Amino acid sequence: MAPIPGSGLAKGLAVTLRTMTKKSVTAQYPDVQPELPPRSRGVIGLFEENCTVCMLCARECPDWCIYIDSHKETVPPAAPGGRERSRNVLDRFAIDFSLCMYCGICIEVCPFDALFWSPEFEYAETDIRDLTHERDKLREWMWTVPAPPALDPGAEEPKELAAARKAAEKLAAQQTPPATTPHADEQARAAEQPTRPQGASKQQTDQPKPDAPRADQPTPGESKPGQATPGQPTSDQPTPGQPKPGQPTPGQPTSGQPTPEQEGQE
């Protein structure tokens, strides 16, 4: 079937009409920063603590835009009788981004995870010689590296987070004073507990002790307060030979009986 003349023009005009009716969306850069994907290749961040100056990234770079300087230091033995060791100390780590072609080979071949991609892209300079960024600037870009999404819920922690957490824990351990050890706490608790007599078994020490006599309970052989002792008369009991209250003594007349003198007068 032969095409209808002018069908192509109609299709083109239809696309134009559909686009004209849609609202245009403009990114207001630099007031609004764009949302870049996590694996964007902006700049290269350096994590100095993981760098061992193996020079592998500089040798594998196809543009030779990585410059590394270092020196060796002697480390004293960790234990008495050990031998001294030498280690490399990083002096300079610079990347010339005017030569870099963002291939990512240096990041892939780094065996100790010291280089990472950062989505930062605002590093333009007016002079091309200023595009060689030293390790201080690369260190600042390291903190803008996003964490990669986990491929599996049971996958291990990303290397970026593990390296940053270990460095933060090491720095915090150096700044905080050493805390008391559990062994010292156990010794302090053992000193507060009463010690068991030597030669006494646990069964003997665990048996309850007889209660001590109370203050209001007399000891055997001691009379209670207010109770007369044997052989001692009470306050209301007269002694032998002493008349009771209200009873006249022998030879003393009562109040109603006259005396012999009164009888003679009568």
Side-chain angles (χ1 to χ4, degrees):
M1 180 178 179
I4 301 175
S7 60
L9 179 61
K11 291 181 180 178
L13 291 175
V15 174
T16 303
L17 291 175
R18 284 197 305 266
T19 307
M20 290 174 60
T21 56
K22 291 182 180 179
K23 184 180 179 180
S24 61
V25 178
T26 304
Q28 302 296 332
Y29 178 83
D31 297 333
V32 179
Q33 294 292 331
E35 295 182 2
L36 301 177
R39 298 181 64 181
S40 299
R41 296 189 177 188
V43 290
I44 299 174
L46 171 66
F47 196 70
E48 296 183 19
E49 285 76 5
N50 290 355
C51 183
T52 59
V53 200
C54 63
M55 305 293 293
L56 191 58
C57 56
R59 290 197 299 265
E60 296 295 332
C61 179
D63 294 333
W64 292 84
C65 63
I66 300 178
Y67 311 108
I68 299 176
D69 293 333
S70 64
H71 70 278
K72 288 189 177 182
E73 286 185 356
T74 302
V75 180
R83 63 184 183 88
E84 296 180 349
R85 298 179 180 272
S86 61
R87 64 183 183 93
N88 295 325
V89 179
L90 183 65
D91 292 333
R92 184 194 182 198
F93 194 106
I95 300 177
D96 188 358
F97 285 98
S98 63
L99 298 177
C100 180
M101 63 179 183
Y102 305 94
C103 62
I105 294 178
C106 57
I107 298 175
E108 295 177 1
V109 301
C110 181
F112 300 103
D113 296 323
L115 298 175
F116 299 93
W117 278 117
S118 171
E120 293 291 329
F121 60 91
E122 296 176 331
Y123 56 95
E125 301 290 345
T126 56
D127 192 350
I128 193 174
R129 292 172 294 183
D130 296 335
L131 286 174
T132 302
H133 296 288
E134 300 293 334
R135 64 176 184 175
D136 296 336
K137 188 66 176 178
L138 301 180
R139 174 81 175 196
E140 295 179 4
W141 284 330
M142 178 61 203
W143 308 121
T144 61
V145 175
L151 301 179
D152 185 24
E156 58 184 33
E157 187 180 16
K159 297 180 181 179
E160 295 88 349
L161 296 179
R165 190 188 72 255
K166 290 180 180 179
E169 292 176 355
K170 184 178 180 181
L171 183 60
Q174 294 176 356
Q175 293 178 354
T176 55
T180 56
T181 58
H183 184 65
D185 296 341
E186 293 178 1
Q187 291 180 353
R189 287 195 297 268
E192 295 177 359
Q193 295 178 357
T195 56
R196 185 185 303 171
Q198 186 176 3
S201 62
K202 182 179 180 182
Q203 185 178 3
Q204 295 176 355
T205 55
D206 294 344
Q207 292 180 356
K209 297 181 179 180
D211 297 336
R214 297 180 298 179
D216 56 347
Q217 182 179 1
T219 57
E222 182 181 355
S223 61
K224 296 182 180 179
Q227 181 180 2
T229 57
Q232 181 180 359
T234 59
S235 58
D236 57 349
Q237 183 179 2
T239 58
Q242 182 179 0
K244 295 182 180 181
Q247 182 180 2
T249 57
Q252 182 180 0
T254 60
S255 59
Q257 184 179 1
T259 60
E261 297 177 357
Q262 293 177 354
E263 291 178 0
Q265 292 177 0
E266 291 178 357

